[in-house]
Amino acid sequence: MGILNEQAVLPAFLDGKPKLLLIDGKLVPAKSGRTFKSINPATGKVLAEIAEAGPADIDLAVAAARRAFEGPWSKWKAFDRQAVLLKLAELVDKHFDELAMLDTLDMGGPIAGTAAKRKRAVGLLRFYAGLATSTHGQTIENSMAGEVFSYTVKEPVGVVAAINPWNGPLGLAIWKLAPALACGCTVVLKPAEQAPLSPLRLGELCLEAGIPPGVVNVVAGFGEAGAALAAHPGVDKIAFTGSTEVGQHIIRASAGNLKRVSLELGGKSPNIVFADADLDAAVPGAAMAVFANSGQICSAGTRLFVERKVHDEFVEKLAKFAKTLKVGDPLDPTTQLGPLVSDTQLERVTGYLQRGKTDGAEAVAGGNRITDAALAEGYFVAPTVFSNVVDSMAIAREEIFGPVISAMPFDDIDEVIRRGNDTEYGLGSGVWTRNINNAQKVAKGLRAGTVWINCYQAMDPAVPFGGYKMSGYGRESGTEHMDEFLQTKAVWIKTT
Ligand code: NAP
Ligand code: MG
């Protein structure tokens, strides 16, 4: 691998010792004594040994979260929770270079994204710190006014199981922690086995910020740990981000004690370019709608519909742009695409590249793994644009989770809305046009949780994000995210 990965000064957190679980405010090995290896996807080399949580550790973490929920944490006022979240925001900001480096080493996201990730992570913590003190119930004028008075209070739902994938380890962890803590819940966080380092480090920072022991527990492990957590009778709510298939397991596992569930799942999002769009903006826009994070983004605009009269020209420009992107060592600040997260993901994505070609699509850019000497040990794939794609091909229907665009022509607006909706998913979507009426018609017609007009992947702590259809239910970000962690109690007072 390139020079930077070999010479990089590793964060002190990577001290060669196994990274432990955070349970009840203490760093502990797994009860089984088992560990697993975290791999650097740029080099294929081992980064760290991680304690592997199993069902016994999940029991301990859930018990700790329950004790904290019913004990010290329940006495904290919203203003105290706000203060501690602001303190955590300060610490995350202070240690952000280290946290970003851990993510880059662990899952390959380019270090060039650090500034944007910092803004988002710190912004989420500050935003939910604000909402901690501005959430309230209502006084309600009822039909028996004068005899009985009624009001509602918002109460935390309880112990939250936060189960996350690997594609944004730190950001995804904070995305769930910030509103859950703002609401007064306690959390057992299960990061993905492929990239657990920054969530474990974040757990330490939670303690340093003054969050009481047991309020945040971090249990790295495999699907077995996630399954134990999802089925655990001591858990009140599951906040899950991941694949639709595992999301379905989660729903089944939640049935035992009727847990609340929110699901942020997969996508196969349509991105629609009309001939009247600003094509100079739409070309890089459509490219980075998929190539950012090497395509490992749930809302990636992977089904690219281009109006037929500009289709060939657009696809040619897109292919040219894709070929200018720098794929390589994610620690190099000029790198735009790092590796895929794992050998498994590499196999999955290259399998789809092969499938696309076999099915008759043409790779006008990329289409292969990168095997140059410097990158051969890592899991690098060239940014790929397929043309000659038809809607029924696997590459146009299934979530690849790699840097792969499937471009298809369309002729009119009703047709493209119908084809855009012809998917089991409904997460992101995009439309590029100068015609406000067409933009509005597409925005109204698409069944997706987000529509971006003349932009893509804009995200903000204040704006809700989530899925329609099999992309899940519940919303993250915005005030709606607080509702996922709250329940409403109605109180009646006889007044006569
Ligand atoms: P995944 O396989 O569904 O895994 C997600 C998490 O669930 C991991 O922590 C995983 O543990 C755990 N898990 C696995 N089996 C489980 C079970 N039976 N019960 C409970 N937990 C279990 O997803 P992935 O492949 O890591 O991530 C990619 C997927 O996430 C894509 O579909 C992508 O679209 C989706 N995603 C969605 C969003 C969104 O906001 N909508 C954001 C990012 C990603 P292990 O670590 O051991 O596998
Ligand atoms: Mg890793």
Side-chain angles (χ1 to χ4, degrees):
M1 178 74 224
I3 241 132
L4 290 166
N5 244 296
E6 265 148 32
Q7 292 183 346
V9 179
L10 296 180
F13 188 65
L14 296 177
D15 55 5
K17 297 186 197 138
K19 295 294 107 189
L20 302 176
L21 310 174
L22 175 63
I23 298 178
D24 209 8
K26 296 182 201 71
L27 296 172
V28 292
K31 280 279 157 203
S32 65
R34 276 159 60 172
T35 60
F36 65 100
K37 293 175 178 31
S38 181
I39 306 290
N40 180 341
T43 61
K45 292 188 183 140
V46 176
L47 265 175
E49 294 274 338
I50 318 279
E52 180 190 327
D57 308 290
I58 297 298
D59 281 346
L60 292 175
V62 172
R66 175 62 56 193
R67 277 195 305 277
F69 180 68
E70 288 170 2
W73 190 237
S74 67
K75 315 240 170 3
W76 281 47
K77 296 179 178 60
F79 284 82
D80 302 329
R81 296 197 301 271
Q82 176 177 64
V84 90
L85 279 169
L86 289 173
K87 178 72 189 162
L88 182 59
E90 197 184 303
L91 287 175
V92 165
D93 195 21
K94 181 172 154 201
H95 293 278
F96 204 81
D97 288 340
E98 175 200 353
L99 292 161
M101 175 93 162
L102 287 173
D103 271 3
T104 294
L105 291 168
D106 213 3
M107 58 71 66
I111 203 80
T114 299
K117 287 178 186 163
R118 178 196 299 268
K119 179 172 179 242
R120 177 163 173 76
V122 176
L124 278 164
L125 287 162
R126 290 187 183 143
F127 179 77
Y128 286 104
L131 288 188
T133 55
S134 58
T135 298
H136 49 74
Q138 294 176 306
T139 59
I140 299 170
E141 183 77 15
N142 64 56
S143 66
M144 295 161 278
E147 296 164 45
V148 270
F149 174 72
S150 53
Y151 65 94
T152 59
V153 286
K154 296 284 179 184
E155 295 188 340
V157 75
V159 174
V160 172
I163 305 176
N164 272 340
W166 39 262
N167 59 336
L170 180 73
L172 290 169
I174 289 178
W175 205 359
K176 290 185 170 33
L177 274 185
L181 298 181
C183 291
C185 292
T186 58
V187 180
V188 179
L189 170 65
K190 207 299 267 175
E193 80 208 31
Q194 296 89 344
L197 292 174
S198 69
L200 288 165
R201 179 73 183 108
L202 178 67
E204 295 183 357
L205 294 178
C206 287
L207 289 180
E208 197 180 327
I211 295 172
V215 173
V216 175
N217 306 273
V218 187
V219 286
F222 291 84
E224 181 204 22
L229 194 51
H232 203 292
V235 169
D236 300 300
K237 145 95 191 174
I238 309 171
F240 175 76
T241 299
S243 61
T244 295
E245 188 191 347
V246 174
Q248 291 169 319
H249 285 296
I250 298 278
I251 296 170
R252 288 184 208 108
S254 73
N257 64 335
L258 298 185
K259 293 177 185 71
R260 291 262 298 270
V261 177
S262 52
L263 302 169
E264 295 283 359
L265 307 177
K268 190 74 188 173
S269 300
N271 193 13
I272 299 168
V273 180
F274 284 90
D276 69 358
D278 174 354
L279 298 185
D280 291 338
V283 167
M288 298 321 289
V290 177
F291 299 147
N293 214 31
S294 292
Q296 302 165 118
I297 296 186
C298 48
S299 49
T302 47
R303 287 186 299 141
L304 178 65
F305 295 97
V306 186
E307 194 170 354
R308 192 178 301 276
K309 55 187 153 186
V310 293
H311 174 271
D312 292 354
E313 173 199 344
F314 191 85
V315 168
E316 199 183 312
K317 285 185 177 163
L318 190 66
K320 207 167 153 196
F321 180 85
K323 288 173 191 162
T324 66
L325 293 170
K326 181 165 173 190
V327 185
D329 186 336
L331 287 176
D332 178 341
T334 65
T335 289
Q336 292 163 291
L337 276 79
L340 298 173
V341 71
S342 64
D343 51 356
T344 312
Q345 194 62 15
L346 176 70
E347 217 173 288
R348 175 186 168 89
V349 173
T350 49
Y352 275 108
L353 295 179
Q354 193 48 50
R355 180 80 190 271
K357 292 173 197 167
T358 312
D359 288 349
E362 184 192 353
V364 291
N368 52 281
R369 178 182 183 179
I370 299 179
T371 50
D372 305 355
L375 305 183
E377 302 300 316
Y379 315 131
F380 294 88
V381 167
T384 297
V385 179
F386 273 121
S387 73
N388 285 340
V389 179
V390 289
D391 303 48
S392 58
M393 287 181 187
I395 56 166
R397 302 207 69 78
E398 295 169 22
E399 185 181 47
I400 300 174
F401 229 55
V404 185
I405 294 176
S406 295
M408 294 166 277
F410 74 90
D411 292 296
D412 80 73
I413 188 165
D414 293 321
E415 169 212 330
V416 80
I417 292 172
R418 181 183 51 73
R419 289 169 66 195
N421 283 332
D422 182 18
T423 167
E424 66 195 20
Y425 295 114
L427 194 56
S429 61
V431 52
W432 301 78
T433 176
R434 288 187 169 100
N435 180 326
I436 187 73
N437 294 331
N438 283 348
Q440 292 289 345
K441 185 168 178 181
V442 172
K444 189 169 186 311
L446 289 177
R447 297 195 62 220
T450 295
V451 185
W452 285 288
I453 299 173
N454 294 328
C455 59
Y456 208 95
Q457 302 293 27
M459 298 280 270
D460 192 87
V463 182
F465 177 85
Y468 279 33
K469 303 195 282 185
M470 288 179 80
S471 292
Y473 43 71
R475 289 292 176 271
E476 297 200 320
S477 292
T479 54
E480 287 178 54
H481 204 169
M482 297 288 278
D483 297 336
E484 304 290 344
F485 299 107
L486 292 168
Q487 49 199 346
T488 304
K489 179 180 280 176
V491 182
W492 294 83
I493 306 176
K494 192 158 187 325
T495 54
T496 54

